[in-house]
Amino acid sequence: MKDENCIFCKLANGEIPTATLYEDEDFRVILDASPASKGHALILPKQHYADLYELDDEIAAKALVLAKKMITKLTPILGCDGYNVVQNNKEAAGQTVFHFHMHLIPRYKDDQVGLGWKMGTLDEKEKEEILKKVGEE
């Protein structure tokens, strides 16, 4: 199913021109119009899923395999030193377009791309609480 009001549905299905790196029956991979670094790409499913919570399991599996395929192909082309594969879910996690997508962000030594976070510590009480609740399901 597609959402007629979704910009990423339109990009994924070729209704809006893109710099397409790859396409198959389920996905389109495009260069990001607002890249974090040279070669930043997006994996877009052609069907509409708001986020990972809604994503079909088969499409989720294919997306990760496609991410591996794309970064393996693009690394020597771009001459990058590594990759971040980023996928945000819900506004609190930084999602701004509510169509599932994966960012493939090439990393270059000393590139200053800001994807970090401040490391915390795993609190023993919180750890036990989470483990108990997960075990109950």
Side-chain angles (χ1 to χ4, degrees):
M1 177 165 97
K2 297 178 191 98
D3 179 339
E4 297 204 13
N5 297 315
C6 174
I7 186 90
F8 277 15
C9 279
K10 292 175 182 177
L11 292 167
N13 289 284
E15 296 171 36
I16 297 173
T18 62
T20 299
L21 299 171
Y22 173 86
E23 181 179 11
D24 64 23
E25 65 276 0
D26 296 313
F27 298 97
R28 184 180 298 256
V29 180
I30 66 172
L31 289 175
D32 194 310
S34 301
S37 67
K38 177 184 172 188
H40 179 168
L42 299 174
I43 295 177
L44 306 172
K46 291 183 174 181
Q47 296 298 313
H48 185 79
Y49 305 93
D51 51 35
L52 186 59
Y53 297 99
E54 291 186 7
L55 193 61
D56 176 82
D57 288 350
E58 183 179 337
I59 294 296
K62 287 181 177 181
L64 189 57
V65 171
L66 180 55
K68 179 184 176 189
K69 176 180 178 176
M70 293 305 301
I71 69 170
T72 300
K73 182 174 184 173
L74 289 169
T75 294
I77 291 170
L78 296 169
C80 60
D81 300 304
Y83 258 92
N84 287 114
V85 177
V86 178
Q87 201 283 307
N88 302 319
N89 296 282
K90 308 287 185 198
E91 188 175 350
Q95 185 177 11
T96 58
V97 178
F98 297 92
H99 178 113
F100 173 88
H101 57 287
M102 294 175 74
H103 293 265
L104 306 177
I105 303 173
R107 298 304 302 270
Y108 303 90
K109 186 176 180 198
D110 302 320
D111 64 15
Q112 305 298 309
V113 172
L115 296 176
W117 53 86
K118 183 180 177 193
M119 298 281 192
T121 56
L122 180 58
D123 177 87
E124 193 65 30
K125 183 178 175 186
E126 288 178 355
K127 176 181 83 171
E128 293 304 324
E129 178 186 332
I130 293 167
L131 290 173
K132 182 181 179 204
K133 288 181 179 179
V134 168
E136 292 172 356
E137 295 197 10

